[in-house]
Amino acid sequence: MRQMAGTLNRTWLTILGILGLAAGIALLLQSAGALQSIANTAPAGEKVVSGDLQPFFAQSWVVVLLLVMGAIIGVLGLLWVIAQIPRKNPADAYRLDADGAQGRTICDPSVLATAIENQINTLPGVVGSSAMLRGTAHEPDLTLKVTVNDRADVQELLRHLETSTLPDLSTALEAPLHRRRLQIDISGRTQGTGTVVPSTGTVLK
Amino acid sequence: MSRNDGQSTRLRRRPSRTVPASIVGILLLAAGVALVWLAVARLFDGTWSTLLQGPRDWLTRLAWNDPDVWGVGIAAVVVGLILLMCALIPGKFSALTVRNASGDGADEERPAPERETVMTRRAVAHLAKAQCVQIDGVSSASATATTKRVHLSVKTSLRDTGDLRTRVTDGVRDRLNAIGLDPVPRVTATVESKS
């Protein structure tokens, strides 16, 4: 239900991986003396730092540069860490009717989501559910997580959803459902409303 | 890339690389804080921190063909390759696809929505185990599931396990098929006699 930063992570890991790989290869070529013939760099036997570092670091612009670099790297790192927190990314309030002269109707999607959950929880075999509405009132986007017990008829549950619950939502919004995503989980618990009754017995043939 | 667009994302997805991203993010944050701290300390004290004396001496005596430079180069290549592998190796899907019910509730006025139905690997394993322990002769069972295979480890009190393995795999496969997993993963089982 919650969304992760998968694309962001892949993109930045690729960029940093390529940078690290390129820097490492360049350093190894330089150490072997191969880079000198290609890019006319310093000979392999020469010192990495030719002069004294003291006067260089005494300049005030070096301090400012380090400060700015540190701030940029730190902020980027912090933003990347924060981006790892899973997000709900919910929809804004649904604007069902926006005719200013006649008034306007606004609906909180969480109200509809609660109604959907309550309806699904009464279906046979359902232990619990959570619904999240995204998109807009004209293109609603529903994500459902339904937990059923291990004896539930999943295909029957899907038929119930497709023929009853989802059409009810479309009717309420007066718009067809644009997208429906459903994750089914299994639980050993039995339904709270009690339609599953475990029983034992002997079958006589 | 944005997660503020109010749109859903696919439920059947590859790993999001949270662990390597968090590690690199924290390292970047630490490096940034260290640089800022050093620069601010230099601005206030007028001299660089004594912590920099060691790295400065090391850099001054370093030659390009020094073993230390080789070490740094090799480390950079290894880290770069690890990051690239983390980004490019796709990883396993988190869930299995479930066949949608035949009636989609669509009609002329109401087109069928884009639909995705999945069951997590953990749920499939839980279901396979629950089905397995219903079979006569099974004392206990554990199950693991990937998107292509469900494996059951069955313990039985039977001395002669006979066709128990076949009954277990057939029973679990039928249940997974009835649920509508598409495609139905291959079901394997190992049976261990307790006696």
Side-chain angles (χ1 to χ4, degrees):
Chain A
M1 298 281 282
R2 288 172 187 259
Q3 297 176 352
M4 309 294 285
T7 312
L8 178 85
N9 292 347
R10 278 196 304 278
T11 307
W12 278 107
L13 287 172
T14 306
I15 291 170
L16 292 176
I18 289 170
L19 286 177
L21 194 61
I25 289 171
L27 205 55
L28 290 177
L29 287 174
Q30 172 65 19
S31 298
L35 204 61
Q36 189 193 0
S37 54
I38 302 168
N40 198 24
T41 54
E46 203 167 281
K47 293 274 185 189
V48 173
V49 180
S50 50
D52 188 9
L53 282 174
Q54 199 77 33
F56 175 75
F57 277 100
Q59 300 171 86
S60 56
W61 66 266
V62 175
V63 184
V64 176
L65 182 71
L66 281 183
L67 188 66
V68 172
M69 275 176 55
I72 292 171
I73 292 171
V75 168
L76 284 178
L78 184 63
L79 289 177
W80 199 7
V81 171
I82 290 172
Q84 304 312 310
I85 301 168
R87 304 278 166 82
K88 278 188 173 180
N89 188 15
D92 295 329
Y94 281 171
R95 292 162 187 86
L96 299 175
D97 186 3
D99 187 346
Q102 302 287 322
R104 63 174 65 121
T105 309
I106 293 174
C107 179
D108 185 352
S110 64
V111 174
L112 290 170
T114 307
I116 296 166
E117 287 168 9
N118 290 340
Q119 194 170 349
I120 291 173
N121 288 344
T122 61
L123 296 177
V126 175
V127 175
S129 67
S130 66
M132 170 70 72
L133 272 163
R134 299 187 176 97
T136 64
H138 298 290
E139 287 190 346
D141 181 341
L142 176 67
T143 305
L144 283 169
K145 180 181 174 185
V146 180
T147 307
V148 297
N149 65 47
D150 49 36
R151 300 176 194 189
D153 185 341
V154 172
Q155 284 296 313
E156 187 58 30
L157 169 74
L158 286 175
R159 266 189 291 278
H160 266 291
L161 286 173
E162 299 292 355
T163 57
S164 169
T165 311
L166 302 186
D168 285 353
L169 175 66
S170 295
T171 306
L173 290 170
E174 295 179 348
L177 199 59
H178 178 60
R179 196 178 287 132
R180 186 276 278 155
R181 299 191 193 279
L182 168 63
Q183 179 182 316
I184 300 166
D185 267 358
I186 304 290
S187 168
R189 288 183 294 140
T190 51
Q191 193 173 22
T193 49
T195 54
V196 177
V197 182
S199 63
T200 55
T202 307
V203 178
L204 300 173
K205 292 185 179 175
Chain B
M1 199 180 288
S2 169
R3 287 179 294 158
N4 301 313
D5 56 358
Q7 299 290 322
S8 63
T9 53
R10 290 188 68 81
L11 295 172
R12 186 174 182 266
R13 56 178 172 245
R14 307 271 191 189
S16 56
R17 285 84 167 169
T18 304
V19 173
S22 300
I23 291 170
V24 178
I26 289 168
L27 289 177
L28 284 176
L29 179 62
V33 169
L35 279 177
V36 169
W37 177 74
L38 286 170
V40 169
R42 166 71 175 77
L43 286 173
F44 278 97
D45 299 343
T47 54
W48 287 100
S49 167
T50 50
L51 289 172
L52 289 173
Q53 190 62 46
R56 203 161 51 199
D57 294 345
W58 176 71
L59 266 177
T60 312
R61 67 167 184 271
L62 207 61
W64 282 114
N65 57 359
D66 201 284
D68 286 1
V69 178
W70 281 92
V72 172
I74 290 168
V77 168
V78 170
V79 169
L81 282 176
I82 289 172
L83 293 182
L84 273 178
M85 282 197 295
C86 287
L88 301 179
I89 293 174
K92 291 175 182 173
F93 279 112
S94 59
L96 290 82
T97 306
V98 176
R99 195 172 55 243
N100 286 305
S102 51
D104 58 6
D107 52 39
E108 288 178 0
E109 293 177 358
R110 208 168 43 201
E114 180 190 330
R115 295 182 299 173
E116 183 192 18
T117 309
V118 302
M119 187 178 274
T120 58
R121 288 189 292 166
R122 195 177 61 169
V124 171
H126 190 118
L127 192 80
K129 180 189 167 188
Q131 180 65 27
C132 183
V133 296
Q134 302 289 325
I135 295 167
D136 184 44
V138 175
S139 300
S140 64
S142 64
T144 55
T146 64
T147 50
K148 293 179 180 169
R149 181 169 173 254
V150 173
H151 181 74
L152 295 141
S153 299
V154 178
K155 286 190 178 173
T156 177
S157 51
L158 297 172
R159 286 182 185 174
D160 178 17
T161 56
D163 63 344
L164 182 62
R165 196 166 72 90
T166 312
R167 283 193 288 124
V168 164
T169 53
D170 287 351
V172 171
R173 192 183 302 112
D174 289 347
R175 178 73 173 124
L176 298 182
N177 191 34
I179 276 176
L181 289 182
D182 184 24
V184 177
R186 194 163 61 93
V187 180
T188 58
T190 50
V191 179
E192 188 185 337
S193 185
K194 285 206 281 192
S195 58

